[in-house]
mmCIF file of all heavy atoms in Angstrom:
data_model
loop_
_atom_site.group_PDB
_atom_site.id
_atom_site.type_symbol
_atom_site.label_atom_id
_atom_site.label_comp_id
_atom_site.label_asym_id
_atom_site.label_seq_id
_atom_site.Cartn_x
_atom_site.Cartn_y
_atom_site.Cartn_z
ATOM 1 N N GLU A 39 -10.916 33.361 47.649
ATOM 2 C CA GLU A 39 -11.661 32.417 48.488
ATOM 3 C C GLU A 39 -12.514 33.151 49.508
ATOM 4 O O GLU A 39 -11.995 33.938 50.320
ATOM 5 C CB GLU A 39 -10.669 31.512 49.238
ATOM 6 C CG GLU A 39 -10.200 30.325 48.433
ATOM 7 C CD GLU A 39 -11.259 29.234 48.406
ATOM 8 O OE1 GLU A 39 -12.019 29.105 49.407
ATOM 9 O OE2 GLU A 39 -11.336 28.529 47.391
ATOM 10 N N ASP A 41 -14.035 32.149 52.318
ATOM 11 C CA ASP A 41 -13.683 31.946 53.728
ATOM 12 C C ASP A 41 -12.373 32.631 54.094
ATOM 13 O O ASP A 41 -12.212 33.143 55.196
ATOM 14 C CB ASP A 41 -13.603 30.450 54.040
ATOM 15 C CG ASP A 41 -14.994 29.836 54.126
ATOM 16 O OD1 ASP A 41 -15.850 30.416 54.817
ATOM 17 O OD2 ASP A 41 -15.224 28.792 53.483
ATOM 18 N N SER A 42 -11.444 32.648 53.153
ATOM 19 C CA SER A 42 -10.160 33.293 53.422
ATOM 20 C C SER A 42 -10.358 34.791 53.640
ATOM 21 O O SER A 42 -9.723 35.390 54.512
ATOM 22 C CB SER A 42 -9.194 33.070 52.262
ATOM 23 O OG SER A 42 -8.891 31.696 52.164
ATOM 24 N N ILE A 44 -13.141 36.242 54.708
ATOM 25 C CA ILE A 44 -13.849 36.448 55.984
ATOM 26 C C ILE A 44 -12.886 36.283 57.163
ATOM 27 O O ILE A 44 -12.846 37.108 58.082
ATOM 28 C CB ILE A 44 -15.016 35.438 56.128
ATOM 29 C CG1 ILE A 44 -15.995 35.581 54.966
ATOM 30 C CG2 ILE A 44 -15.726 35.619 57.469
ATOM 31 C CD1 ILE A 44 -16.766 36.879 54.918
ATOM 32 N N VAL A 45 -12.100 35.202 57.131
ATOM 33 C CA VAL A 45 -11.185 34.916 58.239
ATOM 34 C C VAL A 45 -10.212 36.076 58.433
ATOM 35 O O VAL A 45 -10.032 36.587 59.548
ATOM 36 C CB VAL A 45 -10.442 33.582 57.991
ATOM 37 C CG1 VAL A 45 -9.198 33.485 58.841
ATOM 38 C CG2 VAL A 45 -11.370 32.407 58.287
ATOM 39 N N MET A 48 -12.069 39.180 59.726
ATOM 40 C CA MET A 48 -12.462 39.093 61.128
ATOM 41 C C MET A 48 -11.270 39.291 62.051
ATOM 42 O O MET A 48 -11.370 39.954 63.087
ATOM 43 C CB MET A 48 -13.115 37.734 61.408
ATOM 44 C CG MET A 48 -14.542 37.648 60.880
ATOM 45 S SD MET A 48 -15.246 35.981 61.065
ATOM 46 C CE MET A 48 -15.617 35.953 62.818
ATOM 47 N N MET A 49 -10.137 38.724 61.677
ATOM 48 C CA MET A 49 -8.937 38.855 62.515
ATOM 49 C C MET A 49 -8.481 40.313 62.557
ATOM 50 O O MET A 49 -8.068 40.819 63.599
ATOM 51 C CB MET A 49 -7.813 37.958 61.984
ATOM 52 C CG MET A 49 -8.086 36.475 62.235
ATOM 53 S SD MET A 49 -6.778 35.444 61.553
ATOM 54 C CE MET A 49 -7.454 33.824 61.902
ATOM 55 N N GLU A 52 -10.964 42.364 64.565
ATOM 56 C CA GLU A 52 -10.717 42.066 65.982
ATOM 57 C C GLU A 52 -9.663 43.011 66.549
ATOM 58 O O GLU A 52 -9.705 43.402 67.709
ATOM 59 C CB GLU A 52 -10.228 40.621 66.086
ATOM 60 C CG GLU A 52 -10.047 40.141 67.478
ATOM 61 C CD GLU A 52 -11.185 39.183 67.863
ATOM 62 O OE1 GLU A 52 -12.316 39.360 67.374
ATOM 63 O OE2 GLU A 52 -10.910 38.276 68.625
ATOM 64 N N ALA A 112 -0.774 30.237 50.249
ATOM 65 C CA ALA A 112 -0.862 28.864 50.736
ATOM 66 C C ALA A 112 0.315 28.029 50.238
ATOM 67 O O ALA A 112 0.431 26.862 50.549
ATOM 68 C CB ALA A 112 -2.171 28.243 50.275
ATOM 69 N N HIS A 113 1.193 28.645 49.458
ATOM 70 C CA HIS A 113 2.402 27.921 49.009
ATOM 71 C C HIS A 113 3.457 28.055 50.081
ATOM 72 O O HIS A 113 4.054 29.110 50.227
ATOM 73 C CB HIS A 113 2.951 28.521 47.721
ATOM 74 C CG HIS A 113 2.129 28.181 46.526
ATOM 75 N ND1 HIS A 113 2.137 26.932 45.967
ATOM 76 C CD2 HIS A 113 1.272 28.925 45.801
ATOM 77 C CE1 HIS A 113 1.316 26.926 44.936
ATOM 78 N NE2 HIS A 113 0.772 28.116 44.814
ATOM 79 N N ALA A 114 3.675 26.976 50.832
ATOM 80 C CA ALA A 114 4.668 27.071 51.906
ATOM 81 C C ALA A 114 6.038 26.678 51.381
ATOM 82 O O ALA A 114 6.761 25.940 51.998
ATOM 83 C CB ALA A 114 4.258 26.170 53.050
ATOM 84 N N MET A 115 6.369 27.154 50.218
ATOM 85 C CA MET A 115 7.638 26.771 49.616
ATOM 86 C C MET A 115 8.731 27.733 50.042
ATOM 87 O O MET A 115 8.521 28.943 50.088
ATOM 88 C CB MET A 115 7.527 26.799 48.085
ATOM 89 C CG MET A 115 6.611 25.742 47.536
ATOM 90 S SD MET A 115 7.247 24.103 47.886
ATOM 91 C CE MET A 115 6.222 23.115 46.817
ATOM 92 N N LYS A 116 9.901 27.108 50.281
ATOM 93 C CA LYS A 116 11.034 27.935 50.633
ATOM 94 C C LYS A 116 11.407 28.739 49.394
ATOM 95 O O LYS A 116 11.367 28.253 48.277
ATOM 96 C CB LYS A 116 12.210 27.058 51.042
ATOM 97 C CG LYS A 116 13.143 27.823 51.952
ATOM 98 C CD LYS A 116 14.030 26.896 52.743
ATOM 99 C CE LYS A 116 15.000 27.775 53.518
ATOM 100 N NZ LYS A 116 14.898 27.606 54.936
ATOM 101 N N LYS A 133 -0.614 30.959 54.826
ATOM 102 C CA LYS A 133 -1.882 30.395 55.262
ATOM 103 C C LYS A 133 -1.591 28.972 55.728
ATOM 104 O O LYS A 133 -0.634 28.376 55.250
ATOM 105 C CB LYS A 133 -2.878 30.365 54.097
ATOM 106 C CG LYS A 133 -3.372 31.737 53.685
ATOM 107 C CD LYS A 133 -4.480 31.529 52.668
ATOM 108 C CE LYS A 133 -4.513 32.655 51.665
ATOM 109 N NZ LYS A 133 -5.444 32.385 50.564
ATOM 110 N N PRO A 134 -2.362 28.340 56.570
ATOM 111 C CA PRO A 134 -3.578 28.890 57.180
ATOM 112 C C PRO A 134 -3.278 29.886 58.311
ATOM 113 O O PRO A 134 -2.226 29.804 58.932
ATOM 114 C CB PRO A 134 -4.267 27.638 57.729
ATOM 115 C CG PRO A 134 -3.179 26.647 57.939
ATOM 116 C CD PRO A 134 -2.130 26.941 56.929
ATOM 117 N N LEU A 135 -4.232 30.783 58.526
ATOM 118 C CA LEU A 135 -4.054 31.809 59.553
ATOM 119 C C LEU A 135 -4.607 31.314 60.877
ATOM 120 O O LEU A 135 -5.712 30.804 60.950
ATOM 121 C CB LEU A 135 -4.777 33.093 59.140
ATOM 122 C CG LEU A 135 -4.390 33.691 57.784
ATOM 123 C CD1 LEU A 135 -5.163 34.986 57.563
ATOM 124 C CD2 LEU A 135 -2.893 33.946 57.700
ATOM 125 N N ASP A 136 -3.780 31.514 61.912
ATOM 126 C CA ASP A 136 -4.142 31.157 63.285
ATOM 127 C C ASP A 136 -4.213 32.507 63.999
ATOM 128 O O ASP A 136 -3.206 33.208 64.082
ATOM 129 C CB ASP A 136 -3.022 30.270 63.846
ATOM 130 C CG ASP A 136 -3.412 29.610 65.162
ATOM 131 O OD1 ASP A 136 -4.133 30.255 65.941
ATOM 132 O OD2 ASP A 136 -2.980 28.463 65.385
ATOM 133 N N ALA A 137 -5.397 32.899 64.458
ATOM 134 C CA ALA A 137 -5.666 34.278 64.893
ATOM 135 C C ALA A 137 -4.529 34.921 65.692
ATOM 136 O O ALA A 137 -4.029 35.986 65.323
ATOM 137 C CB ALA A 137 -6.966 34.327 65.683
ATOM 138 N N THR A 138 -4.104 34.251 66.781
ATOM 139 C CA THR A 138 -3.107 34.860 67.659
ATOM 140 C C THR A 138 -1.760 34.994 66.949
ATOM 141 O O THR A 138 -1.129 36.046 66.948
ATOM 142 C CB THR A 138 -2.955 33.999 68.929
ATOM 143 O OG1 THR A 138 -4.249 33.724 69.433
ATOM 144 C CG2 THR A 138 -2.128 34.716 69.977
ATOM 145 N N ALA B 302 2.996 19.023 46.328
ATOM 146 C CA ALA B 302 3.027 20.480 46.404
ATOM 147 C C ALA B 302 1.624 21.037 46.167
ATOM 148 O O ALA B 302 1.145 21.908 46.897
ATOM 149 C CB ALA B 302 4.010 21.035 45.389
ATOM 150 N N HIS B 306 -1.029 22.832 48.861
ATOM 151 C CA HIS B 306 -1.672 24.116 48.611
ATOM 152 C C HIS B 306 -3.188 23.988 48.733
ATOM 153 O O HIS B 306 -3.858 24.784 49.389
ATOM 154 C CB HIS B 306 -1.296 24.621 47.220
ATOM 155 C CG HIS B 306 -1.985 25.900 46.854
ATOM 156 N ND1 HIS B 306 -3.095 25.937 46.047
ATOM 157 C CD2 HIS B 306 -1.727 27.175 47.216
ATOM 158 C CE1 HIS B 306 -3.491 27.198 45.921
ATOM 159 N NE2 HIS B 306 -2.676 27.966 46.612
ATOM 160 N N ARG B 309 -4.361 23.571 52.267
ATOM 161 C CA ARG B 309 -4.229 24.766 53.108
ATOM 162 C C ARG B 309 -5.442 25.690 53.014
ATOM 163 O O ARG B 309 -5.733 26.412 53.965
ATOM 164 C CB ARG B 309 -2.981 25.552 52.696
ATOM 165 C CG ARG B 309 -1.778 25.192 53.494
ATOM 166 C CD ARG B 309 -0.519 25.632 52.788
ATOM 167 N NE ARG B 309 0.523 24.672 53.066
ATOM 168 C CZ ARG B 309 1.271 24.717 54.159
ATOM 169 N NH1 ARG B 309 1.112 25.683 55.026
ATOM 170 N NH2 ARG B 309 2.175 23.797 54.377
ATOM 171 N N THR B 310 -6.112 25.679 51.883
ATOM 172 C CA THR B 310 -7.247 26.586 51.712
ATOM 173 C C THR B 310 -8.382 26.238 52.692
ATOM 174 O O THR B 310 -8.772 27.096 53.481
ATOM 175 C CB THR B 310 -7.699 26.588 50.247
ATOM 176 O OG1 THR B 310 -6.553 26.944 49.462
ATOM 177 C CG2 THR B 310 -8.779 27.604 49.998
ATOM 178 N N MET B 312 -8.006 24.387 55.285
ATOM 179 C CA MET B 312 -7.364 24.486 56.602
ATOM 180 C C MET B 312 -7.447 25.914 57.127
ATOM 181 O O MET B 312 -7.592 26.153 58.323
ATOM 182 C CB MET B 312 -5.879 24.113 56.504
ATOM 183 C CG MET B 312 -5.578 22.644 56.503
ATOM 184 S SD MET B 312 -5.982 21.904 58.060
ATOM 185 C CE MET B 312 -4.884 22.816 59.127
ATOM 186 N N ASN B 313 -7.305 26.845 56.201
ATOM 187 C CA ASN B 313 -7.322 28.262 56.578
ATOM 188 C C ASN B 313 -8.669 28.629 57.184
ATOM 189 O O ASN B 313 -8.734 29.348 58.182
ATOM 190 C CB ASN B 313 -7.037 29.114 55.340
ATOM 191 C CG ASN B 313 -6.742 30.557 55.687
ATOM 192 O OD1 ASN B 313 -6.087 30.812 56.699
ATOM 193 N ND2 ASN B 313 -7.221 31.489 54.891
ATOM 194 N N ALA B 314 -9.746 28.076 56.605
ATOM 195 C CA ALA B 314 -11.080 28.358 57.136
ATOM 196 C C ALA B 314 -11.250 27.722 58.515
ATOM 197 O O ALA B 314 -11.676 28.376 59.465
ATOM 198 C CB ALA B 314 -12.135 27.843 56.169
ATOM 199 N N MET B 316 -8.930 26.574 60.694
ATOM 200 C CA MET B 316 -8.034 27.120 61.701
ATOM 201 C C MET B 316 -8.388 28.588 61.988
ATOM 202 O O MET B 316 -8.400 29.028 63.141
ATOM 203 C CB MET B 316 -6.603 27.008 61.207
ATOM 204 C CG MET B 316 -5.572 27.275 62.279
ATOM 205 S SD MET B 316 -3.921 27.080 61.595
ATOM 206 C CE MET B 316 -3.460 25.574 62.346
ATOM 207 N N GLY B 317 -8.702 29.315 60.942
ATOM 208 C CA GLY B 317 -9.026 30.732 61.092
ATOM 209 C C GLY B 317 -10.269 30.934 61.948
ATOM 210 O O GLY B 317 -10.229 31.642 62.948
ATOM 211 N N TYR B 318 -11.369 30.248 61.584
ATOM 212 C CA TYR B 318 -12.615 30.426 62.341
ATOM 213 C C TYR B 318 -12.463 29.928 63.767
ATOM 214 O O TYR B 318 -12.927 30.567 64.711
ATOM 215 C CB TYR B 318 -13.771 29.696 61.659
ATOM 216 C CG TYR B 318 -14.246 30.362 60.373
ATOM 217 C CD1 TYR B 318 -14.307 29.660 59.178
ATOM 218 C CD2 TYR B 318 -14.645 31.709 60.386
ATOM 219 C CE1 TYR B 318 -14.736 30.262 58.007
ATOM 220 C CE2 TYR B 318 -15.079 32.319 59.208
ATOM 221 C CZ TYR B 318 -15.122 31.595 58.025
ATOM 222 O OH TYR B 318 -15.544 32.194 56.889
ATOM 223 N N SER B 320 -9.762 29.632 65.576
ATOM 224 C CA SER B 320 -8.861 30.480 66.376
ATOM 225 C C SER B 320 -9.566 31.789 66.755
ATOM 226 O O SER B 320 -9.289 32.365 67.804
ATOM 227 C CB SER B 320 -7.554 30.746 65.626
ATOM 228 O OG SER B 320 -7.780 31.507 64.457
ATOM 229 N N LEU B 321 -10.485 32.214 65.878
ATOM 230 C CA LEU B 321 -11.289 33.394 66.231
ATOM 231 C C LEU B 321 -12.364 33.006 67.250
ATOM 232 O O LEU B 321 -12.642 33.736 68.199
ATOM 233 C CB LEU B 321 -11.963 33.972 64.979
ATOM 234 C CG LEU B 321 -11.068 34.768 64.047
ATOM 235 C CD1 LEU B 321 -11.712 34.911 62.685
ATOM 236 C CD2 LEU B 321 -10.762 36.141 64.642
ATOM 237 N N LYS B 324 -11.805 32.932 71.003
ATOM 238 C CA LYS B 324 -11.655 34.246 71.628
ATOM 239 C C LYS B 324 -12.997 34.939 71.860
ATOM 240 O O LYS B 324 -13.057 36.008 72.444
ATOM 241 C CB LYS B 324 -10.818 35.149 70.726
ATOM 242 C CG LYS B 324 -9.346 34.763 70.649
ATOM 243 C CD LYS B 324 -8.700 35.728 69.714
ATOM 244 C CE LYS B 324 -7.215 35.767 69.766
ATOM 245 N NZ LYS B 324 -6.770 36.913 68.960
ATOM 246 N N LEU B 340 -9.371 23.716 66.959
ATOM 247 C CA LEU B 340 -8.136 24.465 66.713
ATOM 248 C C LEU B 340 -6.896 23.584 66.906
ATOM 249 O O LEU B 340 -6.003 23.551 66.061
ATOM 250 C CB LEU B 340 -8.081 25.686 67.645
ATOM 251 C CG LEU B 340 -6.867 26.590 67.496
ATOM 252 C CD1 LEU B 340 -6.747 27.124 66.061
ATOM 253 C CD2 LEU B 340 -6.934 27.772 68.478
ATOM 254 N N ARG B 344 -4.190 22.337 64.047
ATOM 255 C CA ARG B 344 -2.727 22.531 64.130
ATOM 256 C C ARG B 344 -1.998 21.222 63.873
ATOM 257 O O ARG B 344 -0.971 21.193 63.205
ATOM 258 C CB ARG B 344 -2.349 23.098 65.507
ATOM 259 C CG ARG B 344 -2.699 24.569 65.638
ATOM 260 C CD ARG B 344 -2.337 25.095 67.014
ATOM 261 N NE ARG B 344 -2.810 26.472 67.154
ATOM 262 C CZ ARG B 344 -3.201 27.024 68.299
ATOM 263 N NH1 ARG B 344 -3.163 26.319 69.423
ATOM 264 N NH2 ARG B 344 -3.599 28.267 68.334
ATOM 265 N N LEU B 347 -2.072 20.531 60.279
ATOM 266 C CA LEU B 347 -1.124 21.398 59.571
ATOM 267 C C LEU B 347 0.310 20.866 59.704
ATOM 268 O O LEU B 347 1.064 20.833 58.730
ATOM 269 C CB LEU B 347 -1.215 22.829 60.117
ATOM 270 C CG LEU B 347 -0.284 23.840 59.455
ATOM 271 C CD1 LEU B 347 -0.633 23.996 57.975
ATOM 272 C CD2 LEU B 347 -0.371 25.195 60.157
ATOM 273 N N ARG B 358 10.122 16.866 49.804
ATOM 274 C CA ARG B 358 11.131 17.770 49.246
ATOM 275 C C ARG B 358 12.551 17.302 49.558
ATOM 276 O O ARG B 358 13.444 17.374 48.721
ATOM 277 C CB ARG B 358 10.912 19.189 49.768
ATOM 278 C CG ARG B 358 9.887 19.927 48.925
ATOM 279 C CD ARG B 358 9.887 21.376 49.246
ATOM 280 N NE ARG B 358 9.690 21.572 50.683
ATOM 281 C CZ ARG B 358 9.097 22.650 51.195
ATOM 282 N NH1 ARG B 358 8.668 23.603 50.412
ATOM 283 N NH2 ARG B 358 8.955 22.770 52.489
ATOM 284 N N GLU B 412 17.168 27.807 60.891
ATOM 285 C CA GLU B 412 15.765 27.382 60.842
ATOM 286 C C GLU B 412 15.644 25.864 60.840
ATOM 287 O O GLU B 412 14.809 25.286 61.522
ATOM 288 C CB GLU B 412 15.097 27.923 59.567
ATOM 289 C CG GLU B 412 14.305 29.184 59.790
ATOM 290 C CD GLU B 412 13.625 29.656 58.511
ATOM 291 O OE1 GLU B 412 12.883 28.847 57.921
ATOM 292 O OE2 GLU B 412 13.866 30.810 58.104
#
Side-chain angles (χ1 to χ4, degrees):
Chain A
E39 276 282 329
D41 285 312
S42 295
I44 302 293
V45 161
M48 284 174 76
M49 288 178 184
E52 185 105 328
H113 286 286
M115 293 296 193
K116 205 160 175 120
K133 289 188 212 172
L135 304 182
D136 191 325
T138 311
Chain B
H306 177 260
R309 267 162 214 276
T310 304
M312 279 293 299
N313 192 38
M316 192 179 253
Y318 288 125
S320 65
L321 284 163
K324 290 179 164 189
L340 181 58
R344 285 179 186 149
L347 180 63
R358 275 192 306 209
E412 262 182 55

